[in-house]
Amino acid sequence: IAAGALCACLELAARRELSARSEWYTELFENAKGVSAPEPPCRLRSFGRLTTLCSGQGCKSNKADEIHGSLLAIGELFRNAEEFMSGHIDETFELVLRFKDNRNSTVRRTVIELLPRLAKMRQSLDSKGDRHFSNSVDHLIRVLRQGTDRPVAFVALGQLALVEPRHVKPHLKAITQQIRDSTNPRSS
């Protein structure tokens, strides 16, 4: 519900003039990262506070709900503010991957769901994000081997393969083995 509300707010923000939009996006991104953004001008104050899913320290927090809210906010920024986020892709990739092994399953699942979206934007900018693609594929295969979040990891891996097949191709043997293992009732 909160991500949907944020999405609606970002759609409204997209109709604003560029300078106001940029300030809103910056404030939301800084809050999600856990960096205090400067106090917004009066005209942004009420709307800016409504759009912040992540309270407190954002991604610098130890609280799973704050981290999850921050990741959702980042996801909505990628969905609704692509041009703004394209300037923050490497920083965002590293921030998201930092939570891939979080002890909270909701946070881990959100990371898995964000990886294809980040990879798609990275690939559309240039192909220098090889390290991020490799880290993403390696992580998803590890999730498949662990058996946790398999359905989400399979979907994300398929989406990554559509974005950048050359990074998935070297792992086809391991992926097909995981498909066999997941369809074999004795291995589950």
Side-chain angles (χ1 to χ4, degrees):
I1 296 173
L6 177 59
C7 180
C9 290
L10 288 172
E11 287 174 9
L12 287 173
R15 298 178 189 159
R16 303 262 179 166
E17 63 185 62
L18 181 62
S19 63
R21 217 181 355 199
S22 186
E23 287 179 55
W24 291 53
Y25 295 157
T26 299
E27 180 183 0
L28 180 57
F29 187 59
E30 294 298 312
N31 281 326
K33 291 188 312 182
V35 177
S36 296
E39 186 64 26
C42 286
R43 63 180 166 41
L44 297 178
R45 229 176 249 140
S46 61
F47 186 74
R49 297 298 177 226
L50 281 175
T51 62
T52 305
L53 275 175
C54 46
S55 61
Q57 298 177 20
C59 284
K60 288 187 176 180
S61 175
N62 291 327
K63 297 178 184 174
D65 59 337
E66 288 186 16
I67 295 167
H68 182 242
S70 294
L71 293 173
L72 289 175
I74 288 168
E76 288 305 319
L77 279 167
F78 269 99
R79 185 182 324 243
N80 295 286
E82 266 188 41
E83 188 175 325
F84 172 80
M85 290 305 287
S86 67
H88 303 280
I89 187 68
D90 288 323
E91 175 185 15
T92 305
F93 234 127
E94 290 168 15
L95 179 71
V96 169
L97 283 171
R98 198 170 35 178
F99 297 104
K100 68 184 178 7
D101 297 318
N102 189 281
R103 65 180 162 217
N104 183 279
S105 62
T106 304
V107 170
R108 290 192 311 268
R109 201 171 315 112
T110 303
V111 168
I112 292 168
E113 292 168 348
L114 283 172
L115 290 177
R117 201 177 313 166
L118 294 169
K120 185 175 183 179
M121 181 173 281
R122 181 80 198 96
Q123 191 260 348
S124 71
L125 294 173
D126 61 39
S127 60
K128 295 178 183 169
D130 288 352
R131 175 175 48 99
H132 297 305
F133 285 117
S134 296
N135 288 344
S136 297
V137 172
D138 290 343
H139 172 63
L140 291 172
I141 290 173
R142 190 170 63 248
V143 169
L144 292 174
R145 285 186 179 130
Q146 293 169 348
T148 58
D149 298 317
R150 255 190 186 159
V152 179
F154 273 126
V155 170
L157 199 51
Q159 292 170 337
L160 276 174
L162 292 172
V163 171
E164 195 59 59
R166 68 186 172 104
H167 288 289
V168 177
K169 191 175 180 178
H171 301 281
L172 283 179
K173 187 175 181 179
I175 294 168
T176 54
Q177 182 61 50
Q178 291 308 310
I179 293 170
R180 277 190 221 107
D181 290 349
S182 68
T183 57
N184 183 352
R186 288 179 282 184
S187 69
S188 297

